[in-house]
Amino acid sequence: MKFYRLGLACTLPLFAACNDNNSPIKITSETVSQQRLDTIVANIEKRYPEATQELKQNAAEVVVRAIENLVFVEGGSFEMGDFGAPCEIPSGTISRIDWSPDAECLSSPFSQETGAAFLHKVTLDAYSIAKFETRFIDMEWMRQINGLPVAKDDAKDQSIIQRDSETYQWLITNMKDYPASAKAWQEAKDYCQWLGQVSEMPFDLPTEAQWEYAARSRGQKYYYATDNGYHQVLEDAYFDPEIDRYVEYNEIDANTSTNTKEVDRYPPNPLGIYGMSNPVSEWVEDWYSPDYYEYSPELNPKGPKEGTEKVLRDAGGTTMTFSRIHSVPVKSAYFYSTSFRCALQ
């Protein structure tokens, strides 16, 4: 894999950069290099000569923000799939499990069905992945400058929300920091590749293996991609054998939710990535096949060459870091529970 330095100043002492060409687009960054900022501005001006200044500015800021919010993931090897769990869980709940080498049971009853039960070695080159799921407002600015409709439909009649409506104003005011909805896998991929076209950096969707490796903080045996590896929902409870009673999670304890929240609402996992154990599923690059793990290559697997369904990762309930979700590439609506994040390949 070509080693890519992201066009960031983060490998050097931080400094503030801003574009100083003649474009009215004004973007600054403490981590993105001056050369990269100039590239972004030049490409926005070239691609969208007829766009309003506001749209150009918004689009440029989206791209800069995407670069700034990347988390570098050092490459390495790990055992991908359901790495097992104790047959009897001391806490009395699958939302709070501690892994041990003598684990003999599968962690999830769905692992056999989806193929996650086939534990196999995977080795990945280094890459970077978005710290957050793509925000609604960033998706909206990208779609607006490209002449695409709002990626959100009216729950009443499934009609696309119009930009001159009160509902739209409510969305961009109250839901701007919530995960973007992606009805189709292609919409998610198009957004990531648009970032790449404007920045001239290799943005795309993460592969299934990249997603899991990052969720597990470089392949560690974490069942949930939270700050402590547990799935702690407000007012849920677990049994503490040391004090011989159940303990209920309070607002301070909570590190995820059963409802969709802002992309940065809860603490990140140890690698610094947010929202990989929340109620939102994320499209990844791969086609889905339940037996793919049995023949996938060890080095940088990218999924089957073809298929009828795409892989998603994460979902509601107690979906674990290795859990495989699958769906047709185009869903029936813009669900709040279907989003994505991008990666730098």
Side-chain angles (χ1 to χ4, degrees):
M1 178 181 179
K2 182 171 67 175
F3 188 66
Y4 216 97
R5 275 296 183 187
L6 311 185
L8 301 183
C10 58
T11 57
L12 302 170
L14 293 182
F15 64 92
C18 60
N19 56 300
D20 57 0
N21 56 29
N22 295 323
S23 171
I25 299 174
K26 301 301 178 186
I27 49 177
T28 63
S29 177
E30 292 187 341
T31 54
V32 182
S33 70
Q34 181 64 59
Q35 181 180 3
R36 189 66 59 189
L37 293 177
D38 291 343
T39 296
I40 292 168
V41 170
N43 284 333
I44 291 287
E45 294 285 10
K46 181 179 179 180
R47 292 170 65 92
Y48 308 107
E50 303 302 320
T52 66
Q53 189 56 43
E54 182 181 13
L55 285 180
K56 292 179 183 179
Q57 182 69 37
N58 288 340
E61 290 175 2
V62 167
V63 180
V64 173
R65 194 156 46 239
I67 301 172
E68 291 176 331
N69 286 336
L70 288 169
V71 173
F72 178 73
V73 183
E74 184 180 349
S77 299
F78 75 116
E79 295 295 313
M80 184 174 179
D82 187 339
F83 45 82
C87 297
E88 294 186 9
I89 303 170
S91 70
T93 171
I94 61 171
S95 66
R96 192 180 183 91
I97 310 175
D98 293 303
W99 184 82
S100 65
D102 58 352
E104 296 181 349
C105 291
L106 287 174
S107 311
S108 169
F110 302 106
S111 292
Q112 290 283 10
E113 175 187 341
T114 64
F118 193 86
L119 200 63
H120 61 295
K121 184 180 180 181
V122 167
T123 299
L124 297 175
D125 291 333
Y127 61 100
S128 294
I129 193 167
K131 183 184 300 185
F132 307 113
E133 289 164 325
T134 302
R135 299 188 311 157
F136 166 76
I137 199 66
D138 291 335
M139 180 76 150
E140 168 57 12
W141 295 148
M142 172 271 187
R143 292 179 67 85
Q144 194 170 148
I145 201 169
N146 284 287
L148 299 170
V150 181
K152 191 70 73 176
D153 40 33
D154 193 316
K156 297 176 183 177
D157 58 10
Q158 302 298 301
S159 62
I160 296 297
I161 292 173
Q162 301 301 307
R163 293 190 173 100
D164 60 355
S165 68
E166 291 183 5
T167 302
Y168 177 75
Q169 292 302 317
W170 181 85
L171 281 173
I172 63 172
T173 301
N174 297 288
M175 303 299 290
K176 63 182 181 178
D177 292 328
Y178 280 64
S181 296
K183 178 179 178 179
W185 171 87
Q186 190 65 52
E187 291 175 325
K189 187 173 180 68
D190 287 348
Y191 175 90
C192 296
Q193 292 191 325
W194 173 80
L195 292 176
Q197 292 160 4
V198 175
S199 67
E200 298 185 10
M201 298 170 71
F203 277 96
D204 208 333
L205 287 172
T207 64
E208 182 178 20
Q210 288 175 333
W211 195 100
E212 181 172 327
Y213 186 66
R216 290 170 52 186
S217 294
R218 298 188 62 240
Q220 298 182 69
K221 292 179 172 62
Y222 294 144
Y223 296 95
Y224 303 99
T226 57
D227 55 339
N228 60 6
Y230 301 144
H231 193 270
Q232 299 176 177
V233 176
L234 180 64
E235 297 183 352
D236 275 3
Y238 69 96
F239 181 76
D240 186 338
E242 292 187 1
I243 59 176
D244 195 33
R245 66 181 178 86
Y246 278 87
V247 178
E248 188 175 276
Y249 296 122
N250 58 33
E251 290 187 5
I252 296 176
D253 300 325
N255 61 11
T256 188
S257 173
T258 56
N259 298 315
T260 307
K261 302 290 184 180
E262 298 90 341
V263 297
D264 61 351
R265 178 65 174 270
Y266 294 104
N269 72 357
L271 199 59
I273 305 171
Y274 294 71
M276 298 184 101
S277 281
N278 66 14
V280 179
S281 296
E282 300 180 19
W283 295 109
V284 295
E285 177 67 22
D286 307 38
W287 288 106
Y288 170 74
S289 172
D291 63 353
Y292 177 66
Y293 284 8
E294 298 177 28
Y295 63 86
S296 64
E298 176 188 329
L299 182 62
N300 298 321
K302 295 178 172 60
K305 293 183 178 180
E306 57 186 9
T308 59
E309 293 183 307
K310 284 291 185 179
V311 176
L312 299 101
R313 283 307 192 99
D314 202 16
T318 48
T319 305
M320 298 183 182
T321 51
F322 52 77
S323 299
R324 308 182 76 202
I325 316 298
H326 51 99
S327 168
V328 292
V330 181
K331 290 180 173 284
S332 60
Y334 284 104
F335 298 114
Y336 283 98
S337 58
T338 305
S339 188
F340 64 99
R341 73 181 70 224
C342 301
L344 196 68
Q345 303 295 347

